[in-house]
Amino acid sequence: MKIFLDTASLKEIREAAALGVVDGITTNPTLLSKESGEPEDILVQICETVNGPISAEVVATDAEGMMREGRHWAGVHRNIVVKCPCTTEGLKATKALSSEGIRINMTLVFSATQALLAAKAGASICSPFVGRIDDIASPGMEVVRDIVQIYRNYSFPCEVLAASLRHPMHVVEAAKLGAHIGTMPYSVFTALVKHPLTDIGLKKFLEDWEKAKKEMGAKAAR
Ligand code: G3P
């Protein structure tokens, strides 16, 4: 599974990218609004930090406006994938932009029916929002499972991006279900590496090594 970071923070992106396991970035208007600076400048810097798909979302709500914004974003940097919301207008824009060769990440997907339409409209990525489905007491991962199965059944060339992942077990579940991509906040990303037994084990190895070195030193001095 590809790992994307769901943030527009360059600090977080730089720190995570240094590990060498980040495949792409998803942003949205909310995430960009938290950062200081021009959204376009921030996106260019993100593209120059991570060489993978970087989602930039349109804010128009009509198809014409989305197409205009989508073409603009696609021209800003080769790494940019245009995010369109899963509405009737978003589907029209997705069909038109994907026919022009522009990659679309269909966002705000909450059902398998929406995902089916996203793939048929030519989206290259479809983003079900797992956590937000969980928030309304419905199992978000079941939507991911359904979408993965439907895309497999028909060999749709559309990747399932499990979004709105809120904790490490969401990441594990998404990977078990065969989601192609999981996007997560920096806090979830950093939690993926942590394990108390790793820390305890490492401490013990280092203590034993120090002990052995001292003993060897003492032997040599005799
Ligand atoms: O990728 C979508 C994500 O930003 C939404 O996450 O936690 O606000 O539902 P959340």
Side-chain angles (χ1 to χ4, degrees):
M1 183 171 76
K2 292 176 209 163
I3 291 183
F4 284 17
L5 228 54
D6 196 31
T7 181
S9 159
L10 277 158
K11 182 175 181 290
E12 291 180 349
I13 291 168
R14 287 189 183 118
E15 275 169 25
L19 273 69
V21 295
V22 174
D23 302 296
I25 305 291
T26 48
T27 72
N28 61 38
T30 305
L31 294 170
L32 281 161
S33 73
K34 291 181 188 161
E35 304 304 314
S36 53
E38 277 300 306
E40 188 163 322
D41 293 340
I42 297 172
L43 278 157
V44 170
Q45 288 185 69
I46 295 174
C47 288
E48 283 164 5
T49 307
V50 173
N51 190 18
I54 311 298
S55 290
E57 188 158 343
V58 299
V59 289
T61 52
D62 63 305
E64 282 300 321
M66 289 183 198
M67 284 155 62
R68 212 171 26 250
E69 288 179 24
R71 287 184 191 118
H72 171 76
W73 281 131
V76 165
H77 197 283
R78 65 178 186 286
N79 287 354
I80 287 188
V81 174
V82 177
K83 249 184 172 181
C84 289
C86 192
T87 58
T88 49
E89 294 301 295
L91 285 165
K92 285 184 211 164
T94 296
K95 181 73 189 174
L97 292 171
S98 62
S99 308
E100 294 172 19
I102 293 174
R103 289 176 298 165
I104 305 296
N105 172 357
M106 182 129 267
T107 189
L108 290 167
V109 168
F110 295 94
S111 72
T113 54
Q114 289 181 312
L116 177 58
L117 295 177
K120 287 187 70 71
S124 54
I125 298 175
C126 168
S127 294
F129 278 31
V130 175
R132 292 195 193 182
I133 303 174
D134 288 353
D135 287 344
I136 57 160
S138 196
M141 278 302 163
E142 281 185 17
V143 176
V144 172
R145 178 185 291 115
D146 288 347
I147 300 171
V148 167
Q149 185 183 337
I150 290 166
Y151 285 5
R152 272 195 197 138
N153 286 351
Y154 298 98
S155 304
F156 279 120
C158 183
E159 292 186 298
V160 180
L161 184 158
S164 184
L165 301 180
R166 306 267 178 79
H167 49 73
M169 284 314 290
H170 266 160
V171 179
V172 173
E173 285 302 316
K176 282 166 73 177
L177 292 175
H180 305 86
I181 308 162
T183 193
M184 64 207 75
Y186 182 71
S187 57
V188 174
F189 175 76
T190 55
L192 298 184
V193 73
K194 288 186 190 142
H195 200 291
L197 292 179
T198 304
D199 298 337
I200 292 167
L202 181 60
K203 189 167 172 283
K204 177 92 172 80
F205 284 155
L206 297 180
E207 282 167 1
D208 290 346
W209 187 248
E210 282 308 312
K211 236 187 278 168
K213 269 198 333 191
K214 268 188 205 140
E215 277 163 21
M216 277 190 291
K219 258 189 219 161
R222 269 185 230 138

